[in-house]
Amino acid sequence: MKRFFSLLLIIFPLFINAQQETSSYIIVSDIVIEGNNITKTPIILKELTFSRGDTISISEWEKELRLSRENIQNTTLFNFVDVECINDENSPDNIEVKVKVTERWYLWVYPYISYADRNINSWYEADDLRRFSYGFDLEHRNFMGLKHSVRLTCIAGYNQNYGLTYDIPYIFKKYNFGLKAGVAYKRDKEVAYITKNNKITYYNGGEEFAKQTAGLFVEPYYRFGHRNKLFLNISYNDTYFHDTLSTLNPDFVKHLQYFSLLMTFKNDYRDEQNYPLSGHYFELMLEKIGLGVFETSPDVFYGKITADWYQPIKGRWYWASNLTVKMSDDYDAPYFMNQGLGYKNDYVRTYELYVVDAMNFALMKNNLKFAILNPVTRYLPLIKNERFGKIHFALYANLFFDCAYSWKIPKETSSYLDNKFIFGTGIGIDFVTYYDKVIRFEYGVNDMGETGLFIHFVAPI
């Protein structure tokens, strides 16, 4: 009898622990996808961090659901993604996951009207309404329901651009290899040929084009995990410059041919790609321009690191920071390949009208946000199609402070902003809505005492 009770005392705690362990896990009994009338189901299932039949700790379950929903949303295939868990009444540990998506409209003809300058603020300062390009982009963002992207570009006017690209995200069903390729032909009436006092001076070809370029590229890439991608871009470029440019700046030759090799690694843990409020993003770029195949090939190498951090503070308050560092081993990059501060998204806010043609720079952006209107969903009257009638929008006020330092100017210039700490600060309003649209209005002042109102169409960080 004593042996029986002794055995019971040993077995009973083990039985209790086993029960507790079992109850701390859930089993994914089934996964149901709804609303994907065009998108193939496997494309959505690839974005889930779990599969049918998986056993997952309850402590990790909410995180898995959140990451899976963000993965699906960040495919940019859907306007809305809802994930619902349904318990099995007969087996409480079993959960059916129901994913309901609202698909976007995938075939678009985008009317194209663009200015010839780096941003709308520089174009407005130039005060020349003729410097417009116009045309269209024909794009299918989910060709055959497989997330293939096809884009045909036809742009005429001041600067002309004709091209075709095709992107296949999954070449093999079992492996996350993708391939993107494209060809393009561009003609520009106007080319930047020198920077004076940190402002670009342009050459206009008049009746002729100042620059003509034909090129093609192949870009294989690999996705590992759900949030990491590695790209390898190999491109060929064949460019003709107007004869006059070589007399204005010796960096310009009549005919230029070269190959380039670009490697990019991206680690993306943002909750939303177009306007993040939480998470982080890291990007490493290494590019070699000119591989020595042609006599006219340039020889430029640079590396660039971008790191973004997004943090909800409390309630309606949010913080965002960005750090971008670009480094090169060369002083002799041709003028038209040396893009330092002031190009694309690498600028200090309130310095939109200036550039610093430095080979090296460090840039930091900071934003304190307040949600005037948290993201809400509404239905537009008289529009029955959910792809257009169901919209979301939000409104944010922000206080910003940006700063930068640049060095290593390739040649003697009239720059007075290099080797100097510059900064800008101000306030802004961001309007965010569906189909990844962002409109920003910012008013600020820089360290030179200049003030201005600036408009942008992408998230600040």
Side-chain angles (χ1 to χ4, degrees):
M1 195 68 168
K2 289 183 178 180
R3 291 181 179 179
F4 173 78
F5 279 111
S6 298
L7 184 61
L8 188 62
L9 289 173
I10 293 173
I11 294 175
F12 184 75
L14 294 177
F15 175 78
I16 294 298
N17 287 337
Q19 287 294 100
Q20 290 175 345
E21 184 178 352
T22 301
S23 63
S24 64
Y25 287 81
I26 63 96
I27 300 171
V28 181
S29 61
D30 197 9
I31 300 173
V32 178
I33 310 295
E34 296 181 351
N36 56 321
N37 300 316
I38 296 174
T39 310
K40 305 298 183 185
T41 297
I43 297 298
I44 300 174
L45 293 177
K46 275 182 176 289
E47 303 302 327
L48 300 177
T49 61
F50 51 85
S51 303
R52 187 180 288 109
D54 282 358
T55 300
I56 302 172
S57 167
I58 288 179
S59 61
E60 293 293 319
W61 180 233
E62 289 298 324
K63 178 182 176 182
E64 298 296 323
L65 286 176
R66 176 179 60 81
L67 290 176
S68 296
R69 184 198 168 279
E70 290 177 2
N71 291 344
I72 298 171
Q73 188 71 63
N74 284 331
T75 62
T76 69
L77 297 178
F78 311 105
N79 277 327
F80 298 92
V81 178
D82 297 305
V83 180
E84 180 185 0
C85 296
I86 303 173
N87 290 89
D88 189 334
E89 294 181 357
N90 300 320
S91 180
D93 293 341
N94 287 2
I95 289 181
E96 177 186 280
V97 179
K98 182 179 291 186
V99 179
K100 187 178 186 307
V101 297
T102 301
E103 292 185 311
R104 295 184 173 187
W105 187 261
Y106 300 122
L107 180 60
W108 288 93
V109 179
Y110 295 100
Y112 185 94
I113 301 177
S114 181
Y115 35 81
D117 299 272
R118 296 172 297 109
N119 53 58
I120 192 171
N121 308 287
S122 298
W123 170 80
Y124 180 77
E125 185 190 44
D127 194 24
D128 187 352
L129 297 179
R130 297 171 301 170
R131 301 167 72 242
F132 259 116
S133 300
Y134 49 84
F136 68 89
D137 282 322
L138 174 63
E139 183 176 16
H140 200 308
R141 294 188 176 182
N142 193 12
F143 188 56
M144 298 186 294
L146 296 173
K147 203 186 172 186
H148 291 199
S149 178
V150 187
R151 188 184 187 105
L152 174 66
T153 299
C154 293
I155 297 171
Y158 202 73
N159 294 327
Q160 301 179 4
N161 184 6
Y162 307 93
L164 176 67
T165 61
Y166 197 106
D167 186 3
I168 306 172
Y170 305 110
I171 298 177
F172 309 106
K173 291 184 178 180
K174 293 184 179 180
Y175 304 101
N176 291 328
F177 282 101
L179 181 66
K180 186 177 182 180
V183 295
Y185 175 64
K186 300 179 180 180
R187 302 195 299 181
D188 298 329
K189 282 284 188 181
E190 198 170 77
V191 171
Y193 73 91
I194 197 168
T195 300
K196 296 180 180 179
N197 297 320
N198 298 104
K199 291 195 175 185
I200 293 175
T201 302
Y202 292 91
Y203 167 74
N204 190 310
E207 295 298 321
E208 301 178 356
F209 288 94
K211 177 183 175 182
Q212 301 184 59
T213 299
L216 57 88
F217 74 89
V218 177
E219 185 177 78
Y221 56 91
Y222 179 68
R223 179 183 181 187
F224 45 101
H226 286 88
R227 302 292 181 115
N228 301 291
K229 284 186 177 181
L230 181 64
F231 301 82
L232 185 65
N233 183 294
I234 305 169
S235 62
Y236 166 74
N237 184 287
D238 188 0
T239 300
Y240 285 88
F241 291 107
H242 196 281
D243 293 339
T244 306
L245 283 167
S246 61
T247 64
L248 298 173
N249 186 336
D251 281 355
F252 290 86
V253 295
K254 182 174 178 59
H255 185 206
L256 182 68
Q257 283 180 290
Y258 61 90
F259 283 97
S260 292
L261 187 63
L262 172 65
M263 187 203 75
T264 306
F265 169 74
K266 297 182 180 182
N267 172 265
D268 191 347
Y269 273 85
R270 296 172 295 180
D271 57 345
E272 298 278 353
Q273 289 183 358
N274 68 310
Y275 199 89
L277 293 175
S278 68
H280 63 267
Y281 175 82
F282 175 81
E283 178 177 301
L284 170 65
M285 294 176 58
L286 299 173
E287 183 170 21
K288 180 66 172 67
I289 304 175
L291 304 182
V293 178
F294 304 103
E295 291 185 4
T296 59
S297 291
D299 184 14
V300 179
F301 174 81
Y302 77 89
K304 183 178 177 183
I305 292 175
T306 302
D308 300 333
W309 176 56
Y310 309 91
Q311 180 63 50
I313 300 175
K314 186 178 181 182
R316 294 172 175 247
W317 293 94
Y318 302 87
W319 179 266
S321 289
N322 158 267
L323 175 65
T324 302
V325 179
K326 182 180 178 181
M327 303 282 287
S328 176
D329 65 345
D330 200 344
Y331 273 99
D332 299 322
Y335 173 81
F336 49 86
M337 289 183 177
N338 178 26
Q339 293 192 349
L341 283 173
Y343 298 90
K344 298 180 180 178
N345 206 37
D346 298 329
Y347 61 90
V348 172
R349 281 172 285 186
T350 68
Y351 271 94
E352 279 90 338
L353 303 180
Y354 298 90
V355 299
V356 185
D357 293 325
M359 299 300 293
N360 299 348
F361 69 81
L363 167 67
M364 174 171 273
K365 298 181 179 183
N366 300 281
N367 258 88
L368 177 64
K369 298 177 183 292
F370 177 77
I372 300 174
L373 178 64
N374 277 319
V376 296
T377 302
R378 293 289 185 269
Y379 288 88
L380 296 176
L382 306 178
I383 300 179
K384 303 300 181 182
N385 191 327
E386 275 200 339
R387 295 175 181 176
F388 301 101
K390 185 180 179 182
I391 69 169
H392 65 268
F393 53 89
L395 191 65
Y396 300 90
N398 65 78
L399 173 68
F400 67 85
F401 177 82
D402 298 352
C403 58
Y405 188 87
S406 57
W407 67 102
K408 210 172 188 180
I409 303 297
K411 294 181 179 179
E412 195 70 30
T413 69
S414 56
S415 172
Y416 55 87
L417 296 178
D418 58 292
N419 294 302
K420 176 186 176 183
F421 179 79
I422 62 174
F423 67 86
T425 186
I427 57 175
I429 293 290
D430 302 344
F431 176 71
V432 185
T433 187
Y434 72 152
Y435 285 93
D436 304 333
K437 296 298 183 287
V438 178
I439 303 175
R440 288 165 41 212
F441 298 92
E442 293 171 337
Y443 182 84
V445 58
N446 59 33
D447 56 282
M448 297 190 297
E450 297 178 339
T451 61
L453 176 66
F454 304 94
I455 305 172
H456 295 280
F457 299 99
V458 294
I461 297 174

